[in-house]
Amino acid sequence: MPDRTAVADAADVVYIYDGSFEGLLSCVFESYARKEIPSDIVPEEQYELSLYPTRFIETNHLHFERVKKGVADKIGKDALTAIWKGYLCSWEGKEIAILHFIRMGMRDGRRVIYDLANDYVGRLMKSNTTLWNEAHHYMGFVRFSVYENNAMVSVIEPKHKILPIIKDHFIDRYKNESFLIYDKTHRYALIYSKGRNIIIPADDYSPPQMSGEEQKLHDMWKLFYETIEIKERRNERCRMTMMPKRFWSQLHEMSGNKEANI
Amino acid sequence: METSQKLQILADAAKYDVACTSSGADRSSDGFSMGNAMASGICHSFSGDGRCISLLKVLMSNACAYDCAYCLNRRSNDVPRATFTPRELADLTMNFYRRNYIEGLFLSSGIIKNPDYTCERMIETLKILREEYRFGGYIHAKAIPGADSLLLQRIGYLADRMSVNIELPSQKSLVTLAPDKSKSSILKPMGFIRDSISQNKNELVRYKSTPKFASAGQSTQMIIGATPETDYSILKLSEALYGKYSLKRVFYSAYIPVSENPLLPALTTEPPLLREHRLYQADWLLRFYGFSADEILSEQTPDFNPLLDPKCNWVVNNMHRFPVEINSAPKEELLRVPGIGVKSVFKILQARRSCKLSFESLKKLGVVLKRARFFITCGGEFDPAVSFSPQEAANALISNSDMKKFRQKEQYEQIDFLSQPPALPQREDYFKCLTGQL
C-alpha cells in the first residue's frame, strides 16, 4: 500500500476526465499507478487552458471496477455511496476532495467517514446533504403536465444531478403510469414506462403543446394556491426561504408571477 | 356550480386549519395503486404566508349547522356556501396528485345537517379514493365531534391521520364561544381514536394483514389569543395531550379576527404571531428536547418572555448547569445548550467518536456557535475568541428577528418595567431586563 509520505505533495499536473463517475474513479486509479497527486482534476467540459501540463485520463472500466471494489472493501459501502453522491453534487473542488478522501480511507479504513472535522471528509459529507436537500425539494417541486396519451412530462432545472436520487421515489409513486423528467441543466432525462426505466442524455427537449383541459387544471391549482394563503399573515421572506426563486419558473402555481420567468 | 368555484369557496373556508403535514405514514405502492407516502412528509409548495402546502386542504362543505362565534363558517355569517360531491372531490384529488401538486387530501367539513350525515359524505369520498381509484397517498381526515363512533372507526381505516380540533384551550371558553361543542364532545372522539390506534397496533403484531387504523396518529389544533388563557395553561394542556392522548402534534393558530363580537378581540387586533411562535418553540422543547412544561413556564411566570426564546429563558434561569463540556457531556445536556439543536447534537455525538473536538472542528461540523460558545467548553477551555462581556452574551441570546417582532407587535405598556419613557428601548435595556430575571 502506498504510504502517503512516499507521494510527492501535489504534482504539477492537471487530470482531465470525461465527466462520468467511471472516469473520475479511473483518475483515482491513475493517481495510485503513477504515485502522484494531481493539482486538480477537471471534467473536459469545464477545462480551460491553464499553465499546468495536463493529462487526459481515458475512462477505463476495469480500473473503475478495481477502485470501486477497493473502496467498498476497505472503507465500506457507505463510503462508496457517499463518494457517488458527492460526485452527483456540483461543488468547487469535488474531484480533488474525493481523491483525498479515498486516499485517506485506504490508509485509515472505515472510521474516516466519521472524521467530519477533516476538511475533505467534512465537505464530502456536506455535499451529500446538499444533494439530498435539493432532491427532497424536487420530490415536492416536480410538476407534471399530462398529455393526451396519458404520458406525464416534467422539465426541471436543478443545480445538482438529482435524477438518480429521486428516481425510486417517483417510480414508486406512479408505478402504473408513464412519465418523463427532463433535467435541463445537465441535459439528461429519466424515462419510465411499464416497469422499465432508463436515464439517458438528451440534448434539447421541449415538451409538446398542452391541451385546454390540462391548462384548466393548471389554472385550478393556481387558484387553490392563491386561495389557501392567509392574507393577514403574508410573509414574503419566509416563502422565499422555503421556496427559493430559482424554483419558481418550474412551478405551475407561480406562472404569471412577475418574478418567475416563463 | 363549477368545480373551480367550489374549490375557491371551500379552500378559502379551510385555510385557517393549520395542519398541513403529510408526515408519519410510510407506504410504498402495492403495484396496482397510485401513490405512496413518505415518513418525513413532502412540501409541494409554499403559499404567500410562507406555510407549507402539502395536502389539498378543503372542506367537504361550508354549509355549517353550528354557530361558533370565532368561526368564519358559522350559520349566522353571510358567506357564499358550497358543497363538493364525493365523486367531484375524489377526481380533483387524483388530478392534482398525478401532477405532483400534493401529497394527498386534507378533508374537513362544516356540519351538513348533522354530524353523522357529514361523516357519511366524507367516508364516501375516501372510499372512492381508496377503493375505486386505489389511491395510496396521504389522507388526513377530521373527526366530526358528536358523530357515531362506528363512523369514526370507518374513517380511521381509510385515513392516515385523524384529528379533532380542541379549538379553544378551556371548557369555559368553549361554553361562551362554541355553544354547540363541549369539552367532552371533543375529548370523547380523541380518546376513541387513541384506543383504536393502540388496539390496532396489538392486532398488527398478531396478524400482519390487519388493515391499519390512522397509522400516522392523531393531531389537534387550538386557537391562540381569542380567549384569556395563559401560555402556561396552554402548554400544560399540550403536555397532557401528548402524554394522555398520545397525540402526534398539537398545532397552534394565532386568532385572526373574523367577526365583530363583544366576546372576542376587536376586529383591528393583530394576530398574536409572536406568541404563536413561542408556543411552537416550547412545543418542540417538549417533544424533542426532553423538557417538561413546568421547566419552561410556571404559575409565577405564566407567559413567555417576548425577548428570549423558551430555551434561552430556561438557560438564563439555570446558569449553574453551564458550561457543558462538548467532548463528554451526555446527549440530554447537549440538547439544553442554546443554539445547539437535535441535528447538531447528532453530529457532535458522531464526530467525537473519532477525535477530540475543538471549536475549530465544531465550526467545520456546521454547528452554529453564535449562541452556544458562551455555554460550552472544548477540552475544558472556553472559546478564546469570545469576550465575556454581558453585552455580547445578550446580543447572542436575543435574535434580531425576535427583537424586531417585539418592537412591531407589542404595546409599550408591556415594557413599562424598564422604567423608560415610551421611546423604543435599545439592546442595553433588553439586557437589563434579562439580568433582572424577567
Side-chain angles (χ1 to χ4, degrees):
Chain A
M1 192 184 77
D3 185 51
R4 207 168 71 137
T5 48
V7 182
D9 275 349
D12 282 344
V13 60
V14 174
Y15 284 4
I16 299 174
Y17 73 113
D18 63 359
S20 69
F21 187 52
E22 290 202 7
L24 177 58
L25 291 199
S26 301
C27 290
V28 174
F29 183 91
E30 206 64 26
S31 152
Y32 273 102
R34 292 179 182 268
K35 293 200 167 114
E36 67 182 6
I37 298 180
S39 62
D40 203 359
I41 306 177
V42 285
E44 56 187 332
E45 278 199 331
Q46 282 166 30
Y47 176 69
E48 287 161 12
L49 220 58
S50 82
L51 291 171
Y52 288 113
T54 58
R55 186 170 291 138
F56 186 81
I57 309 295
E58 207 68 58
T59 298
N60 181 319
H61 190 67
L62 283 178
H63 292 175
F64 163 70
E65 287 293 342
R66 270 184 66 183
V67 174
K68 207 171 108 179
K69 186 168 183 307
V71 169
D73 291 351
K74 202 84 208 267
I75 328 180
K77 287 207 172 98
D78 290 356
L80 188 61
T81 315
I83 291 168
W84 179 61
K85 287 184 180 165
Y87 156 78
L88 292 176
C89 186
S90 317
W91 44 295
E92 195 65 29
K94 72 174 173 191
E95 289 89 355
I96 279 292
I98 288 174
L99 173 69
H100 282 281
F101 174 80
I102 293 179
R103 279 184 166 271
M104 283 169 57
M106 295 307 270
R107 194 185 62 209
D108 301 339
R110 332 191 143 239
R111 69 190 170 87
V112 71
I113 60 168
Y114 299 113
D115 191 4
L116 295 174
N118 176 285
D119 197 39
Y120 297 124
V121 185
R123 286 197 301 152
L124 178 66
M125 290 305 168
K126 213 168 152 193
S127 76
N128 277 222
T129 315
T130 311
L131 180 75
W132 171 250
N133 284 348
E134 189 176 52
H136 189 78
H137 266 134
Y138 270 106
M139 285 179 192
F141 295 158
V142 162
R143 293 283 178 269
F144 287 107
S145 297
V146 181
Y147 291 91
E148 264 116 76
N149 52 358
N150 266 330
M152 297 151 54
V153 175
S154 171
V155 177
I156 56 174
E157 294 172 50
K159 272 189 197 155
H160 314 291
K161 295 182 181 168
I162 52 153
L163 282 187
I165 307 292
I166 61 174
K167 188 180 87 174
D168 291 347
H169 170 77
F170 281 107
I171 290 177
D172 186 43
R173 170 157 297 199
Y174 303 115
K175 210 151 218 165
N176 301 307
E177 313 289 318
S178 305
F179 65 83
L180 180 155
I181 303 176
Y182 179 62
D183 178 341
K184 211 169 155 186
T185 321
H186 306 95
R187 297 198 304 282
Y188 70 131
L190 163 69
I191 301 173
Y192 172 85
S193 181
K194 299 197 180 86
R196 292 155 56 95
N197 74 81
I198 184 173
I199 291 186
I200 48 160
D203 253 349
D204 242 325
Y205 174 83
S206 52
Q209 188 71 36
M210 58 185 168
S211 67
E213 275 304 300
E214 183 61 19
Q215 186 58 52
K216 246 190 192 162
L217 267 156
H218 288 203
D219 293 345
M220 260 213 274
W221 169 241
K222 197 168 151 67
L223 177 72
F224 174 75
Y225 176 81
E226 280 157 9
T227 313
I228 207 72
E229 175 189 341
I230 299 178
K231 305 282 183 295
E232 293 90 337
R233 302 185 58 140
R234 189 167 185 85
N235 191 340
E236 230 10 280
R237 255 188 81 179
C238 180
R239 168 164 73 179
M240 223 114 81
T241 317
M242 307 308 286
M243 190 168 75
K245 273 189 185 162
R246 69 186 172 99
F247 296 110
W248 290 14
S249 64
Q250 299 142 64
L251 301 170
H252 298 164
E253 64 270 29
M254 303 309 277
S255 70
N257 195 306
K258 253 187 267 160
E259 322 285 349
N261 43 356
I262 276 194
Chain B
M1 199 186 282
E2 285 233 4
T3 310
S4 62
Q5 219 175 334
K6 288 188 188 176
L7 176 66
Q8 187 170 21
I9 294 172
L10 293 168
D12 193 53
K15 72 182 175 192
Y16 293 106
D17 241 306
V18 198
C20 194
T21 53
S22 53
S23 55
D26 214 0
R27 169 178 53 234
S28 65
S29 167
D30 63 3
F32 302 101
S33 59
M34 152 93 88
N36 56 6
M38 206 171 153
S40 63
I42 296 176
C43 287
H44 283 261
S45 192
F46 291 86
S47 54
D49 49 24
R51 294 190 308 164
C52 153
I53 300 176
S54 176
L55 304 170
L56 171 60
K57 185 160 51 180
V58 287
L59 299 187
M60 190 83 218
S61 166
N62 69 340
C64 191
Y66 287 177
D67 205 24
C68 309
Y70 57 85
C71 180
L72 204 58
N73 303 313
R74 66 188 180 281
R75 191 179 55 224
S76 57
N77 199 17
D78 183 24
V79 290
R81 307 281 172 173
T83 304
F84 275 125
T85 65
R87 172 77 49 190
E88 195 176 24
L89 183 54
D91 282 344
L92 186 64
T93 310
M94 290 310 281
N95 272 326
F96 276 9
Y97 193 80
R98 272 194 98 186
R99 285 155 187 82
N100 204 37
Y101 291 161
I102 50 170
E103 279 300 285
L105 177 65
F106 176 110
L107 187 54
S108 177
S109 184
I111 310 296
I112 326 170
K113 292 182 195 166
N114 58 57
D116 283 353
Y117 180 76
T118 313
C119 266
E120 278 162 16
R121 301 287 286 181
M122 288 168 70
I123 290 170
E124 208 182 321
T125 313
L126 301 187
K127 266 184 120 168
I128 295 174
L129 276 173
R130 287 285 198 229
E131 286 162 19
E132 197 177 320
Y133 296 153
R134 310 206 58 154
F135 176 65
Y138 195 90
I139 292 177
H140 179 153
K142 271 269 135 77
I144 305 295
D148 192 89
S149 60
L150 264 174
L151 292 170
L152 288 185
Q153 194 168 26
R154 279 171 67 196
I155 292 186
Y157 282 115
L158 292 163
D160 292 290
R161 173 168 284 184
M162 288 188 76
S163 58
V164 190
N165 281 1
I166 286 241
E167 307 291 12
L168 300 168
S170 75
Q171 165 81 349
K172 203 174 133 227
S173 304
L174 270 177
V175 171
T176 34
L177 293 179
D180 300 302
K181 294 179 183 171
S182 70
K183 195 174 148 196
S184 68
S185 80
I186 288 165
L187 291 182
K188 207 177 122 203
M190 218 178 235
F192 173 76
I193 295 168
R194 173 199 58 200
D195 297 340
S196 305
I197 291 174
S198 77
Q199 193 193 342
N200 180 245
K201 271 194 187 133
N202 286 334
E203 282 165 10
L204 276 168
V205 173
R206 262 187 257 170
Y207 317 104
K208 208 179 157 219
S209 57
T210 307
K212 281 187 183 166
F213 186 93
S215 58
Q218 65 168 327
S219 63
T220 192
Q221 157 180 343
M222 48 187 136
I223 297 165
I224 306 305
T227 46
E229 287 82 11
T230 62
D231 294 335
Y232 178 63
S233 64
I234 293 169
L235 204 59
K236 282 297 258 189
L237 177 61
S238 301
E239 192 178 42
L241 289 169
Y242 285 129
K244 260 192 181 150
Y245 287 91
S246 334
L247 290 198
K248 280 273 152 59
R249 283 291 298 272
V250 174
F251 292 95
Y252 310 92
S253 144
Y255 175 70
I256 295 163
V258 288
S259 64
E260 191 80 66
N261 186 318
L263 296 169
L264 284 168
L267 274 176
T268 48
T269 316
E270 290 269 311
L273 295 180
L274 178 62
R275 194 172 167 207
E276 178 196 281
H277 179 58
R278 288 276 179 265
L279 275 166
Y280 275 115
Q281 286 176 320
D283 188 84
W284 248 252
L285 293 182
L286 291 182
R287 292 189 297 138
F288 302 113
Y289 290 78
F291 278 83
S292 69
D294 286 312
E295 280 179 294
I296 301 169
L297 292 170
S298 64
E299 294 283 2
Q300 288 75 44
T301 47
D303 290 311
F304 287 112
N305 188 328
L307 289 170
L308 288 174
D309 68 59
K311 195 181 187 185
C312 288
N313 196 50
W314 177 84
V315 169
V316 169
N317 290 312
N318 289 276
M319 285 307 280
H320 59 279
R321 298 177 65 154
F322 294 92
V324 162
E325 169 56 42
I326 286 293
N327 286 294
S328 61
K331 189 176 156 197
E332 296 72 35
E333 276 179 35
L334 288 177
L335 276 172
R336 300 208 164 202
V337 177
I340 294 190
V342 179
K343 275 187 189 163
S344 293
V345 167
F346 178 73
K347 279 191 261 186
I348 290 170
L349 291 177
Q350 204 178 43
R352 74 184 188 189
R353 278 161 50 184
S354 71
C355 67
K356 202 171 162 200
L357 295 173
S358 63
F359 282 95
E360 201 47 44
S361 44
L362 282 180
K363 258 183 227 156
K364 284 200 184 127
L365 289 184
V367 176
V368 181
L369 291 175
K370 187 181 167 233
R371 289 182 179 191
R373 57 195 187 149
F374 295 96
F375 303 96
I376 54 174
T377 55
C378 285
E381 304 276 332
F382 275 105
D383 185 355
V386 177
S387 64
F388 278 89
S389 72
Q391 191 56 51
E392 284 215 24
N395 275 345
L397 283 180
I398 302 171
S399 77
N400 277 328
S401 59
D402 279 350
M403 174 97 106
K404 225 159 89 194
K405 269 187 216 150
F406 180 72
R407 282 187 176 173
Q408 281 169 356
K409 304 279 181 236
E410 301 300 313
Q411 308 292 314
Y412 294 146
E413 308 92 73
Q414 281 186 293
I415 43 172
D416 254 358
F417 54 83
L418 292 170
S419 62
Q420 277 251 326
L424 283 175
Q426 300 302 309
R427 265 190 195 281
E428 300 81 71
D429 305 313
Y430 288 114
F431 181 68
K432 276 181 214 150
C433 80
L434 203 159
T435 44
Q437 303 289 290
L438 177 105

